[in-house]
Amino acid sequence: MAHRVGSLCEDLYPPSKSFSEKAFVSSMEEYSEMYAKSIREPATFWRPTAEILGIKSTSEEKDFVSWNFNPQKGPIHVEWLKGAQANMCYSALDLNIQRGLGDNVAFYWEGNEPEDDSVMTYKQLFVEVCKFANVLKKHGVKKGDRVAIYMPMVPSLVVAMLACTRIGAPHSIVFGGFSSGSLKDRIIDSSCSILITADGVYRGTKCVALKDICDQVDEVCEPEWVDCEDTLFLLYTSGSTGKPKGVLHTTGGYMMTAYSTFKYVFDYHPGDIYWCTADIGWITGHTYVTYGPLLNGATSVLFEGVPTYPDGGRFWAVVDKYKVTQLYTAPTAIRLLMKMGDSIVKRYSRKSLKVLGTVGEPINPEAWMWYHHVVGDSGCPIVDTFWQTETGGHVITPLPGATVAKPGSATFPFFGVVPVILDENGRELNGECEGYLCFSQPWPGIMRTVFGDHERFETTYFKKFPGYYTTGDGARRDTDGYIWVTGRIDDMLNVSGHLLSTAEVESCLVEEQSVAESAVVSRPHPVKGECLYCFVTPMDGVAFTDALVAALKERIREKIGPFACPDFIQYAPVLPKTRSGKIMRRVLRKIAAGETNLGDVSTLADQSSVESLMRHRLD
Ligand code: WT7
């Protein structure tokens, strides 16, 4: 998915004057000034945010920020406002109600069926959260206990997360598309004491999950004050060794990042109606469906459905129904809707739209242009936000009133973020360059550790380049200083914005008794961005049949989840290996992509392996 320099991507899209005038940050000069301050004096820059969020300084609080990114100088650590007290739920609900927003809508819930909807104000949300927090307490959940949540996109999911934060219990949400096996692995790894779930029959019916129990309990529940460095939540993300990592975020820093990125990147003003289409089970949903919007007292749409039901006009129908001002979605959804043609989009007004956001993978300039010109009628700035589960919030992103956009570029760093591009030897590259995308100092919302495995945290993110956080992505900086994220450079792949490790899928495949060996690579896909292409060598004497392919797909669906189901499973009589036995994935990627020139294969132990693979390849 690497971007090529061309006239298409080098076009400049400045924000309109009328947009900039009303924006929080209205010029590159203003951005640069704020940015410089955020790097030079982090404490001065972030202190007002901490105050707005109701974080309480105490005598325990020593340094505003303390950190080490170099394993050679001691353990890796990041701490913001350690010793100060906070409560996420208090900042998101109590404070907004005290400030007079109690009757404002927190969420317009739009169900899977277009006529199925409901509204929840800040006050109503507050009451539900307090009641449910008391339910949790009654079940013995205490401060510090971990709570697993496995729920669909319904208001009760937001209630459940906030109830956890209210009593200081970290949540660990498992995306509803994951299988029971994945749910089990995550519950065991995080040793959660309780699981909150729903009975799962919400399609087509009004959502009242958990309501019966909530109705019978106390409406008063004082927030439990926690240390800013206490755990707010765990969220599992794929790891290149196969075992998912429990990314751990803490309270104070994450709150500051969620609040400020939401405010500045979407330029949210009172009266705006914001809609992020992501599922809460992913980090995008945590930060930009629940926490970022609520901390800002925003009104959002919470959507249970999919872009194509009842038809391909659903997104635009929802935009018109609620007069959505900011829409935040993924390139894979944009490409899917683009394929359906412009006429469906043009059936709807979309006049309310002001800012369009994208996240999840590099957006190809064609999709960017379509989003801008067709969806936004050429009038809305596009924010292409680069970030990761690990970063907690946006790290490289345009600001809609300030940044002159280039289609396909995530542009410049957010406040407090210092991106560097390193070469293989860890040298910082300057000017126009391409290399490893890393960060040289912490912003408030960066992850603090991998749950239960600090060593894995250090090895994964800080070992390759001591002194830097390594994203695992490649990036290019152009002559104007714009950053272009080119995609993963490790054994991870990105299917419709969901990260998967090849190792995770491979180990699932070889669990099937009749499979001797497998290798999984990514293949470019017009809608999903990338899809899985698997090479499978059956055990001696076992035939490679359609039934085997079907069984393997089923296994992956069950073990990981439906989104991980491969598009291609090809017969591999033998895998291409070097003399030391390492599978040459570079060659497999080319075969999967349908290329005929496989590059240098001289280091292969068995040259004929490639020819037989070419004969069996799938299109
Ligand atoms: C990986 C992180 C962050 C929420 C969704 C995914 C890719 C994400 C962009 C973007 C280019 C992007 C990267 C990153 N990615 N956004 N705007 N441009 N690449 O979270 O599952 O932790 O995946 O998604 O490869 O490392 P995640």
Side-chain angles (χ1 to χ4, degrees):
M1 294 290 292
H3 295 284
R4 299 277 163 262
V5 187
S7 58
L8 193 62
C9 351
E10 295 297 327
D11 289 347
L12 298 176
Y13 287 80
S16 71
K17 197 161 169 277
S18 60
F19 187 97
S20 292
E21 275 168 0
K22 294 188 217 111
F24 287 118
V25 183
S26 26
S27 66
M28 276 316 266
E29 292 70 46
E30 205 180 327
Y31 158 76
S32 304
E33 217 170 276
M34 290 173 76
Y35 177 75
K37 185 173 161 191
S38 75
I39 303 308
R40 232 183 13 243
E41 303 166 60
T44 325
F45 183 84
W46 291 104
R47 177 72 72 189
T49 304
E51 277 162 17
I52 290 170
L53 293 171
I55 293 176
K56 295 186 193 165
S57 284
T58 64
S59 53
E60 307 286 296
E61 180 195 325
K62 287 185 220 67
D63 301 322
F64 199 89
V65 50
S66 136
W67 59 286
N68 170 39
F69 270 10
N70 190 337
Q72 289 150 8
K73 293 186 180 157
I76 303 294
H77 82 277
V78 177
E79 288 171 348
W80 288 80
L81 284 163
K82 186 162 174 61
Q85 302 278 294
N87 181 282
M88 170 59 97
C89 184
Y90 169 82
S91 305
L93 301 182
D94 307 47
L95 271 183
N96 284 319
I97 293 168
Q98 284 166 30
R99 287 171 186 160
L101 302 183
D103 294 326
N104 282 22
V105 173
F107 290 105
Y108 287 109
W109 181 70
E110 170 81 4
N112 184 57
E113 300 295 336
E115 62 279 7
D116 196 14
D117 54 30
S118 64
V119 177
M120 199 179 247
T121 65
Y122 272 82
K123 251 188 224 154
Q124 289 167 333
L125 182 57
F126 176 77
V127 170
E128 295 296 313
V129 167
C130 288
K131 284 180 180 175
F132 193 63
N134 285 324
V135 171
L136 290 175
K137 280 205 232 169
K138 222 176 243 168
H139 279 79
V141 182
K142 297 181 305 298
K143 179 175 175 174
D145 289 349
R146 285 169 299 283
V147 175
I149 302 179
Y150 183 68
M151 285 176 71
M153 284 288 282
V154 292
S156 308
L157 170 52
V158 178
V159 170
M161 340 172 43
L162 287 166
C164 289
T165 68
R166 189 152 194 93
I167 62 172
H171 56 68
S172 173
I173 303 183
V174 181
F175 168 56
F178 274 117
S179 65
S180 58
S182 295
L183 175 62
K184 181 193 78 180
D185 291 346
R186 284 157 177 74
I187 291 176
I188 292 174
D189 189 80
S190 57
S191 58
C192 286
S193 56
I194 191 168
L195 168 70
I196 307 172
T197 187
D199 47 15
V201 280
Y202 296 105
R203 304 256 163 191
T205 57
K206 202 124 212 135
C207 164
V208 285
L210 307 173
K211 193 145 185 314
D212 292 347
I213 21 173
C214 289
D215 281 348
Q216 292 149 23
V217 297
D218 201 346
E219 289 184 18
V220 181
C221 177
E222 289 305 318
E224 181 80 40
W225 292 96
V226 302
D227 192 288
C228 276
E229 279 303 327
D230 279 348
T231 304
L232 181 68
F233 65 82
L234 310 181
L235 184 59
Y236 283 80
T237 184
S238 296
S240 52
T241 58
K243 189 176 181 276
K245 307 180 284 263
V247 169
L248 187 149
H249 284 286
T250 57
T251 306
Y254 174 83
M255 249 161 66
M256 295 197 282
T257 286
Y259 169 85
S260 63
T261 51
F262 178 82
K263 172 176 170 175
Y264 291 114
V265 175
F266 298 115
D267 201 55
Y268 185 91
H269 291 270
D272 285 350
I273 310 290
Y274 162 89
W275 180 26
C276 168
T277 67
D279 193 286
I280 288 177
W282 304 106
I283 189 71
T284 308
H286 279 57
T287 311
Y288 299 111
V289 175
T290 302
Y291 295 123
L294 291 178
L295 288 171
N296 280 273
T299 296
S300 310
V301 175
L302 179 66
F303 181 49
E304 185 189 38
V306 293
T308 47
Y309 181 81
D311 59 47
R314 186 66 186 278
F315 270 21
W316 326 122
V318 173
V319 165
D320 283 359
K321 178 172 174 183
Y322 298 101
K323 307 273 179 294
V324 170
T325 43
Q326 287 93 349
L327 172 66
Y328 191 33
T329 192
T332 184
I334 298 168
R335 287 190 297 261
L336 178 76
L337 298 171
M338 181 166 90
K339 236 180 46 180
M340 296 183 165
D342 300 2
S343 63
I344 306 183
V345 187
K346 291 188 170 148
R347 254 177 249 156
Y348 299 88
S349 144
R350 293 160 285 111
K351 281 281 170 287
S352 54
L353 289 172
K354 295 200 285 198
V355 178
L356 298 172
T358 155
V359 59
E361 57 176 302
I363 183 165
N364 46 313
E366 297 74 15
W368 196 103
M369 301 289 217
W370 186 79
Y371 202 26
H372 181 72
H373 291 300
V374 179
V375 176
D377 281 331
S378 311
C380 305
I382 305 265
V383 286
D384 174 1
T385 61
F386 169 83
W387 61 295
Q388 309 177 295
T389 304
E390 293 87 337
T391 68
H394 305 144
V395 281
I396 300 180
T397 176
L399 298 185
T403 313
V404 178
K406 291 189 188 186
S409 169
T411 73
F412 302 107
F414 188 73
F415 305 129
V417 175
V418 186
V420 291
I421 298 179
L422 303 182
D423 69 10
E424 186 58 42
N425 302 313
R427 271 192 299 262
E428 287 190 21
L429 300 170
N430 296 308
E432 208 182 343
C433 60
E434 183 156 356
Y436 294 85
L437 177 63
C438 299
F439 298 109
S440 64
Q441 65 181 61
W443 57 95
I446 189 175
M447 74 183 286
R448 301 300 195 257
T449 189
V450 169
F451 180 76
D453 199 347
H454 196 68
E455 197 180 322
R456 187 167 179 205
F457 172 61
E458 301 189 328
T459 318
T460 310
Y461 304 101
F462 299 94
K463 197 168 157 198
K464 188 169 172 71
F465 302 119
Y468 301 93
Y469 166 88
T470 306
T471 60
D473 285 288
R476 174 169 85 76
R477 194 190 291 115
D478 71 16
T479 38
D480 302 322
Y482 282 66
I483 293 173
W484 303 71
V485 178
T486 51
R488 302 293 306 190
I489 38 184
D490 48 15
D491 288 332
M492 307 284 271
L493 55 117
N494 192 322
V495 181
S496 302
H498 303 320
L499 270 196
L500 278 169
S501 77
T502 52
E504 189 177 5
V505 181
E506 283 163 9
S507 73
C508 185
L509 290 169
V510 295
E511 274 170 22
E512 179 83 26
Q513 281 194 351
S514 45
V515 172
E517 214 177 4
S518 82
V520 175
V521 296
S522 88
R523 165 177 157 136
H525 186 281
V527 173
K528 300 179 188 180
E530 294 177 30
C531 69
L532 290 165
Y533 192 111
C534 310
F535 295 87
V536 167
T537 311
M539 291 287 190
D540 281 350
V542 174
F544 186 85
T545 58
D546 289 349
L548 175 61
V549 170
L552 290 172
K553 287 189 177 174
E554 189 49 34
R555 179 177 286 274
I556 292 172
R557 284 175 169 277
E558 267 179 27
K559 186 84 199 301
I560 307 175
F563 66 93
C565 191
D567 284 34
F568 302 93
I569 299 186
Q570 139 161 21
Y571 172 54
V574 55
L575 292 171
K577 291 184 187 164
T578 62
R579 279 174 196 87
S580 63
K582 202 167 166 6
I583 295 172
M584 279 181 81
R585 288 170 191 283
R586 168 172 68 77
V587 171
L588 292 178
R589 272 194 289 271
K590 290 195 168 166
I591 295 174
E595 288 177 32
T596 41
N597 180 1
L598 301 182
D600 180 13
V601 292
S602 59
T603 53
L604 277 181
D606 172 8
Q607 305 280 330
S608 69
S609 63
V610 174
E611 288 148 34
S612 65
L613 285 180
M614 293 285 269
R615 266 202 310 280
H616 292 284
R617 89 167 149 201
L618 307 168
D619 280 310

